[in-house]
Amino acid sequence: MLAAETLQKTIDFTNACLFAKNEKDLEDIWLSLQELCNIDGLLLFVSDSTAVDDLESTLIVRSFGINDAWHDIYVARQYALIDPVKKMAMETDEVFSWDSAFKRYGEGAEEFIDTSADLGLKEGYTVGTISSDVTGIACSASVIFNSKNLNEGDHAMVKSLLPHVNSVLARPGFLKSSNLTEKQIEVLKWASKNKSYWEVGTIMGISERTVKFHFKNIFRKLGVSSRGEAILKGKIKGIV
């Protein structure tokens, strides 16, 4: 049974996840998780989907307590395409250990595993969402730890709390910046206010033809085929 103080901190943690609104809230969640479970680091991933193109072009990573070099290496070497942990997260919505992912998908990813270990990422737990019912995005939350610092209760605690962190990432617009350009976002915002192509062009000082060109690219990037669908998806993703 949890001590009263620990129980209260656990309740506070779940409430913090429920009402998180910005990255400052994520920092507070990280610090609370670290205190509750003795973990060393927290990794957060969000992308438009698990499709290869999306993993390459829309992946957003946030890390806490992680070697600064890891993020740059991960992106530069396109590790998202071979990462055994990401592959495991695509097939289950349960919390799993990195050891199980390495055993299942480690073949061909030896460089990734060795590089991660060199940077202090040897042991961890991960939970992921393949595609949110609301936003359609894929996300995962991972913790990094040294098993010698965790007791049985710590392991149980972190596996219980990690899904709450992951649920934060799947919310519309949270930790998700669009791959649209500033001009495309501005076009979409004016269109969401029921402005016509001509009106949007007049407001922005560009031609109606240019507005339509921007929308063509918006449709492609958001995976939609109409202005109404683009506005709806923009609202879901927090772009407008």
Side-chain angles (χ1 to χ4, degrees):
M1 181 178 295
L2 293 178
E5 182 180 359
T6 302
L7 179 59
Q8 184 59 55
K9 288 181 178 180
T10 303
I11 294 172
D12 291 342
F13 176 86
T14 55
N15 283 334
C17 291
L18 183 63
F19 295 106
K21 296 179 180 179
N22 51 49
E23 295 202 31
K24 175 59 172 64
D25 293 335
L26 276 181
E27 292 179 6
D28 293 338
I29 287 171
W30 144 243
L31 292 173
S32 296
L33 192 61
Q34 185 182 39
E35 181 181 0
L36 282 166
C37 308
N38 296 317
I39 62 170
D40 297 322
L42 176 66
L43 286 172
L44 309 174
F45 291 81
V46 177
S47 68
D48 278 349
S49 76
T50 56
V52 171
D53 289 345
D54 287 333
L55 282 174
E56 287 189 273
S57 64
T58 69
L59 182 68
I60 294 175
V61 183
R62 293 292 184 273
S63 61
F64 304 88
I66 307 298
N67 189 308
D68 291 339
W70 181 87
H71 175 267
D72 292 338
I73 292 174
Y74 192 95
V75 174
R77 298 183 185 179
Q78 297 181 309
Y79 276 160
L81 304 181
I82 62 170
D83 183 349
V85 175
K86 298 303 298 177
K87 290 183 178 182
M88 191 83 166
M90 291 180 191
E91 68 175 36
T92 178
D93 57 3
E94 301 291 332
V95 177
F96 61 88
S97 70
W98 288 8
D99 183 59
S100 62
F102 293 160
K103 289 179 179 178
R104 188 177 183 89
Y105 294 108
E107 185 175 353
E110 292 81 7
E111 178 192 323
F112 166 84
I113 295 172
D114 291 342
T115 302
S116 297
D118 289 342
L119 295 174
L121 286 77
K122 297 180 180 180
E123 300 176 282
Y125 288 120
T126 292
V127 64
T129 299
I130 298 174
S131 179
S132 167
D133 292 338
V134 177
T135 62
I137 64 176
C139 57
S140 69
S142 302
V143 294
I144 294 85
F145 57 83
N146 187 324
S147 57
K148 70 179 183 181
N149 297 327
L150 273 65
N151 59 37
E152 185 176 344
D154 293 329
H155 283 280
M157 177 72 78
V158 72
K159 287 189 282 187
S160 174
L161 296 180
L162 194 55
H164 292 285
V165 182
N166 187 60
S167 67
V168 175
L169 308 179
R171 293 178 194 157
F174 199 93
L175 196 65
K176 188 69 187 79
S177 63
S178 168
N179 58 342
L180 301 183
T181 66
E182 290 184 7
K183 286 289 187 183
Q184 290 165 356
I185 292 173
E186 186 177 358
V187 164
L188 193 58
K189 285 182 176 179
W190 284 116
S192 71
K193 299 180 184 295
N194 296 318
K195 303 296 184 182
S196 67
Y197 290 134
W198 179 84
E199 289 174 318
V200 172
T202 300
I203 293 170
M204 295 180 60
I206 58 179
S207 69
E208 183 176 355
R209 180 179 180 180
T210 300
V211 173
K212 291 180 178 179
F213 173 77
H214 283 315
F215 259 106
K216 181 179 179 180
N217 287 318
I218 290 170
F219 293 167
R220 175 178 57 80
K221 289 183 177 181
L222 295 183
V224 299
S225 57
S226 72
R227 170 178 163 147
E229 288 177 338
I231 292 171
L232 177 60
K233 194 160 187 179
K235 289 179 178 179
I236 288 175
K237 288 181 173 292
I239 301 170
V240 298

